[in-house]
Amino acid sequence: VLDQRALPAEERWLRCERVEDVAEAIRSMAVRGAPAIGLAAAYGLALAARTGMQFEEAASLLLSTRPTAANLGWAIDRARAAGEDPLDFARSLETDQLEADTRLAELGAECMGRGERVLTHCNTGPLATGGYGTAGGVIRAAWEQGRLEQVWVDETRPLLQGARLTAWELGRLGIPYRVVADSAAGSLMNRGLVDRVVVGADRIAANGDVANKVGTYPLAVVAERHGVPFHVAAPVSTIDPDTPTGAEIPIEERDPSEVAAGLPALNPAFDVTPAELVTTIFTEAGVLEPPYDQSIARALGR
Ligand code: MRU
């Protein structure tokens, strides 16, 4: 896996030979982003099978790494039910992810006008999905269709996924962007400089509440204050029908030293945006609109 901790300074590759290596890569965020975590776990299960480890032992090790991303448990459940060769399964999941990304990017971009200035948070491009990206994919498709003027990239405290990873991806694609401090979003909107917010998701509850990188919720609040549409882009695998509302989504707390080394600190890695602040959700199964309990149930074929 490409070690995302070293980017953008260095393109360093990590070799994972055992499921323990994959679990550590996920825990330490060498590989990160909800769909990419699910994919890495599927390949981890294939490594476990090769080294003779029991499926359930490998599954519980992987599940213990990061609690918020729905795609982790989803990929493991699918692998358990698939009953096929675990490596073939992991490869098919990767193909499916690319297809889902491509479709949701097309659907999301179609909702945009021309020459828009889009603000995004965290990193949701190919690094985060192993495919085309979620919100990052929508942004790329919009750029290719002439619908985008520029991207505002939230730096994304404390680990700087925006300033390090999204900026790196957009730069490689030649998409114009400017990095801003997370706390600048409100004043940018107040000055009329943001046409739309598009973010990813780590878990979407059955009622449409969205867990995503900490700092997403305040963005949704200021977007509503300024009448700026707030969209979530995610594959259906990020929707967890067994989590009724955002209140039941487990929020990962990471090492406080990531926020402030040597000081008393608290480091919730995600927050929950209530469904009522979400304009639409772009998925490969269609653009979901409120009331989300109904549109989500339809998307999941329930
Ligand atoms: O802690 P991270 O970097 O794994 O958090 C990632 C996010 O919050 C992304 O927005 C989310 O996983 C969607 S990725 C397509």
Side-chain angles (χ1 to χ4, degrees):
V1 296
L2 180 56
D3 187 344
Q4 299 190 33
R5 296 166 302 182
L7 289 173
E10 197 189 330
E11 287 183 34
R12 182 201 304 159
W13 290 81
L14 275 185
R15 187 172 175 84
C16 296
E17 299 195 350
R18 304 169 313 143
V19 66
E20 288 87 348
D21 303 334
V22 177
E24 185 48 31
I26 297 173
R27 198 187 305 277
S28 66
M29 294 176 62
V31 57
R32 48 143 299 282
I37 290 171
L39 261 188
Y43 280 106
L45 291 170
L47 286 174
R50 208 172 67 176
T51 56
M53 187 190 270
Q54 291 298 316
F55 181 94
E56 292 307 333
E57 191 186 341
S60 63
L61 173 66
L62 290 164
L63 268 176
S64 70
T65 54
R66 298 198 70 192
T68 305
N71 304 63
L72 179 56
W74 176 87
I76 292 170
D77 288 346
R78 290 265 306 242
R80 185 185 288 111
E84 63 184 295
D85 174 71
L87 187 54
D88 289 343
F89 171 76
R91 288 189 174 129
S92 73
L93 209 64
E94 193 171 348
T95 309
D96 292 352
Q97 183 65 45
L98 183 60
E99 274 173 24
D101 284 3
T102 308
R103 180 77 188 130
L104 75 86
E106 275 168 16
L107 292 174
E110 275 170 21
C111 296
M112 293 174 52
R114 308 225 41 100
E116 291 198 1
R117 298 148 308 168
V118 171
L119 186 141
T120 193
H121 192 66
C122 199
N123 170 262
T124 58
L127 288 169
T129 73
Y132 191 67
T134 57
V138 173
I139 286 167
R140 179 175 169 179
W143 169 251
E144 286 166 357
Q145 295 169 16
R147 297 174 189 269
L148 192 73
E149 181 184 305
Q150 191 214 272
V151 188
W152 295 113
V153 176
D154 267 2
E155 63 173 349
T156 314
R157 285 276 301 146
L159 295 180
L160 305 182
Q161 287 93 329
R164 292 189 302 110
L165 307 177
T166 301
W168 183 75
E169 288 180 336
L170 293 175
R172 282 161 58 106
L173 291 168
I175 300 177
Y177 69 88
R178 283 162 93 180
V179 178
V180 289
D182 299 340
S183 44
S187 62
L188 290 182
M189 289 186 208
N190 196 30
R191 288 161 61 193
L193 298 176
V194 181
D195 298 303
R196 201 176 294 277
V197 178
V198 187
V199 296
D202 276 76
R203 187 184 301 232
I204 301 175
N207 73 340
D209 291 349
V210 175
N212 191 49
K213 178 54 53 194
V214 68
T216 302
Y217 168 54
L219 267 185
V221 172
V222 287
E224 191 196 43
R225 169 77 172 82
H226 295 95
V228 173
F230 180 93
H231 306 275
V232 173
V236 168
S237 51
T238 300
I239 303 175
D240 178 8
D242 298 328
T243 300
T245 75
E248 290 83 31
I249 298 178
I251 300 296
E252 175 183 7
E253 276 193 20
R254 294 186 62 84
D255 191 330
S257 69
E258 289 178 352
V259 173
L263 300 176
L266 181 70
N267 188 10
F270 301 95
D271 60 24
V272 174
T273 299
E276 69 204 56
L277 297 180
V278 178
T279 310
T280 56
I281 304 177
F282 305 139
T283 77
E284 73 276 26
V287 176
L288 312 188
E289 293 180 358
Y292 290 113
D293 52 347
Q294 291 171 27
S295 54
I296 283 177
R298 275 196 302 276
L300 296 175
R302 294 182 173 223

